[in-house]
Amino acid sequence: MPEKLKILIVDDNEVNLTLITRLLSNEGALVYTAVNGAQTLELVKEHDFALILLDVQMPGMDGYETAREIKLLDKGRLVPIIFLTAIYKDPEYARMGYDAGAVDFLTQPIDPPTLRSKVGVFLELKRQKDLLEQEIRQRKRTEQALRIAEEKYRNIFFRAVEGLFRSTIEGRFVEVNPALARILGFSSPEEVIEFTAKGGGFMDPEDNRIYVERLKSERSLNDYEMCVNTKDGRKIWVSESSRLFEENGEFYIEGVVEDITQRKLSELELQEKATVDALTGVPNRYLFFDRLENSIENAKRYGYRLALLFIDLDNFKAVNDKYGHHAGDSLLTHVASRLKQRLRSSDTLARLGGDEFCVLLERPSDLNSVEKVAQDFISCLSDSFCIDGVIFKIGATIGISIYPEDATNAEELVRKADEAMYKVKHDNANRFAFSYGRMCQQ
């Protein structure tokens, strides 16, 4: 009966050691523990470990230094090391980890299914490796044993549930496993390889350019999320961990791909709910201020103007009082629709709350063009609305502030536009005004 495989867990936190040991209790391996680098090195000298789970942040000898020392030991040179860390997604820490000898990372707090899955893969690889070494010894390293070794590793490649690949840096796949073919909507790995050999690709050109540039710069990517196109034209989200390497004078990419479409769609849905006004479908206050701050930074960098229009509806309270909030909500939706139809794609319309809207105009050519937009808004909102057979007549008052003349930060720019709006709110002769006092009739 073969000996049980051995796993070494290194962490200076006793609670973490106990937790991980319990999580791996059913993996069929003997679990050893250490609390520092020195103790780790002594254990590696004495035992043949299948896998080492190593905490990065330890007092004294940290995880990186410990890993480098392990690789200098005869029994540690080929042992795979998985770092336990909460900071590896920073590219610098990831590079440090791979340079020190890590093969993978696990984030803390540990996700039990991910831990068991990764440990299971490495234990299986160790079992296969041990069997292969035994067969090679028995067959005296014959050519037949080498063919068996290659076949067993190929079986692991083809049975993997995650997508595995090797490709040229131009995107032509050299090796693909069945799991990746299924993720991309193909019936076989050969079909994927043929598709890319004919120039086919899965990413939009700009996304692919950014991906390749990052890979060239960082040499490896971890949990890199991207949107790709499947064979039938569907868009899915995947997470890829890959590395760039050179072989026989050619550069190649190899990596692991996981389909994260459902999780990503849930995240995007939550993000949309948090940043989009549920009633009108336009950006809410949070998203508007985020975009406004970004626009101010760009305007400051490239030296152009911004115009902010603060729009307050007239007679809206009367609609709510007479016809109820349902009618008021319907009216707000129609107002947002009319305003959106009069905006450029580069401009932003948002609902700040109640019957107040804001519009951010990017790079207005001059103040006259801003006036024309304000006049157009007032004109379109002065036209009657017909909702469920009822005719509603409202209007709007607009205050305008200009970056950088009126303010240089988001809050002040909105406040100046709000103040300008209130100056003309009850003036029947004027419907909008600039912050610095220029009144305009409509």
Side-chain angles (χ1 to χ4, degrees):
M1 183 175 180
E3 285 186 12
K4 279 191 172 184
L5 298 179
K6 299 175 182 179
I7 301 172
L8 176 59
I9 306 170
V10 185
D11 198 314
D12 62 321
N13 188 311
E14 293 287 347
V15 174
N16 289 344
L17 287 177
T18 302
L19 174 61
I20 298 174
T21 300
R22 288 180 179 174
L23 291 175
L24 298 179
S25 60
N26 295 323
E27 294 301 315
L30 297 175
V31 178
Y32 291 73
T33 61
V35 296
N36 55 50
Q39 189 178 3
T40 299
L41 296 178
E42 291 302 317
L43 287 170
V44 173
K45 291 176 184 177
E46 298 173 10
H47 301 277
D48 292 317
F49 289 107
L51 177 65
I52 298 175
L53 302 176
L54 179 57
D55 183 24
V56 169
Q57 296 174 299
M58 297 187 299
M61 186 186 299
D62 65 13
Y64 301 120
E65 184 178 358
T66 302
R68 287 191 287 269
E69 292 296 323
I70 289 173
K71 294 304 178 182
L72 296 177
L73 301 176
D74 289 339
K75 291 189 174 184
R77 185 166 53 89
L78 300 178
V79 179
I81 298 172
I82 296 179
F83 274 145
L84 307 176
T85 177
I87 59 176
Y88 87 96
K89 288 190 177 183
D90 185 309
E92 183 60 29
Y93 289 109
R95 283 195 294 272
M96 289 172 60
Y98 286 122
D99 290 342
V103 297
D104 207 343
F105 291 84
L106 278 171
T107 56
Q108 294 176 332
I110 298 296
D111 176 61
T114 301
L115 172 68
R116 295 191 184 100
S117 173
K118 289 182 182 286
V119 169
V121 167
F122 284 103
L123 291 180
E124 177 62 20
L125 287 172
K126 174 62 175 173
R127 293 187 185 99
Q128 295 294 336
K129 179 176 179 293
D130 290 345
L131 287 173
L132 291 173
E133 289 177 349
Q134 181 180 353
E135 289 176 4
I136 291 171
R137 286 194 298 269
Q138 291 171 348
R139 298 169 184 262
K140 298 180 181 180
R141 301 182 183 275
T142 61
E143 189 175 310
Q144 182 181 6
L146 291 175
R147 286 198 299 269
I148 293 173
E150 181 181 353
E151 182 63 25
K152 288 195 173 183
Y153 276 108
R154 295 296 297 172
N155 285 340
I156 294 174
F157 177 81
F158 279 101
R159 288 200 304 265
V161 297
E162 295 174 318
L164 305 176
F165 74 92
R166 174 184 284 202
S167 76
T168 66
I169 199 168
E170 294 79 20
R172 180 176 60 82
F173 281 114
V174 179
E175 288 185 288
V176 176
N177 74 339
L180 183 57
R182 287 193 298 272
I183 289 173
L184 296 175
F186 290 83
S187 58
S188 68
E190 293 76 17
E191 191 179 1
V192 181
I193 293 172
E194 181 181 1
F195 175 76
T196 59
K198 293 179 178 179
F202 305 100
M203 299 173 64
D204 293 336
E206 180 62 16
D207 292 340
N208 186 68
R209 183 190 65 79
I210 295 172
Y211 162 75
V212 172
E213 284 187 358
R214 280 199 57 183
L215 196 55
K216 285 181 177 179
S217 172
E218 301 173 22
R219 310 297 289 188
S220 64
L221 298 173
N222 297 287
D223 293 337
Y224 185 87
E225 296 182 357
M226 63 182 83
C227 185
V228 300
N229 303 302
T230 63
K231 178 185 177 182
D232 58 5
R234 291 181 300 111
K235 287 190 177 294
I236 63 171
W237 283 91
V238 299
S239 173
E240 177 182 305
S241 295
S242 55
R243 73 182 184 100
L244 179 66
F245 66 98
E246 186 176 3
E247 186 176 275
N248 298 325
E250 298 288 337
F251 282 97
Y252 294 93
I253 304 169
E254 64 179 13
V256 181
V257 176
E258 178 185 1
D259 186 344
I260 59 167
T261 302
Q262 292 304 317
R263 173 173 67 80
K264 192 66 178 180
L265 290 178
S266 297
E267 289 178 0
L268 293 174
E269 182 180 359
L270 289 174
Q271 182 180 4
E272 181 177 352
K273 288 180 178 179
T275 57
V276 174
D277 179 57
L279 177 63
T280 62
V282 301
N284 62 12
R285 174 183 289 270
Y286 174 82
L287 180 56
F288 179 74
F289 271 89
D290 182 63
R291 289 187 181 177
L292 178 56
E293 288 170 355
N294 287 333
S295 294
I296 289 174
E297 287 300 315
N298 289 330
K300 186 183 302 181
R301 183 178 300 113
Y302 299 110
Y304 57 80
R305 277 177 167 174
L306 301 172
L308 190 144
L309 284 67
F310 194 103
I311 305 170
D312 185 82
L313 302 183
D314 300 332
N315 305 318
F316 181 75
K317 184 177 182 301
V319 173
N320 268 341
D321 292 343
K322 184 174 181 179
Y323 296 97
H325 289 287
H326 175 72
D329 289 348
S330 296
L331 182 56
L332 289 173
T333 302
H334 283 74
V335 166
S337 178
R338 282 193 185 178
L339 292 175
K340 281 194 294 185
Q341 293 173 10
R342 286 159 172 79
L343 287 178
R344 302 171 302 177
S345 60
S346 60
D347 299 328
T348 299
L349 166 68
R351 181 185 175 210
L352 300 191
D355 62 344
E356 295 178 338
F357 293 83
C358 253
V359 172
L360 173 63
L361 302 180
E362 300 272 358
R363 298 175 182 260
S365 56
D366 52 37
L367 296 183
N368 288 333
S369 67
V370 178
E371 280 191 21
K372 289 180 181 179
V373 173
Q375 289 169 351
D376 187 31
F377 285 165
I378 288 177
S379 177
C380 79
L381 296 180
S382 297
D383 292 339
S384 60
F385 293 84
C386 182
I387 302 173
D388 296 332
V390 180
I391 303 298
F392 296 95
K393 289 286 291 184
I394 60 171
T397 305
I398 300 176
I400 306 169
S401 58
I402 303 294
Y403 171 90
E405 286 88 341
D406 294 320
T408 56
N409 65 72
E411 291 80 5
E412 189 68 9
L413 206 60
V414 172
R415 188 181 68 81
K416 288 291 184 67
D418 185 27
E419 289 178 351
M421 183 274 296
Y422 273 105
K423 288 178 183 178
V424 292
K425 184 65 175 174
H426 302 292
D427 187 342
N428 292 328
N430 301 295
R431 302 313 313 143
F432 67 91
F434 285 82
S435 175
Y436 57 80
R438 181 180 181 184
M439 297 288 188
C440 303
Q441 294 185 356
Q442 174 66 22

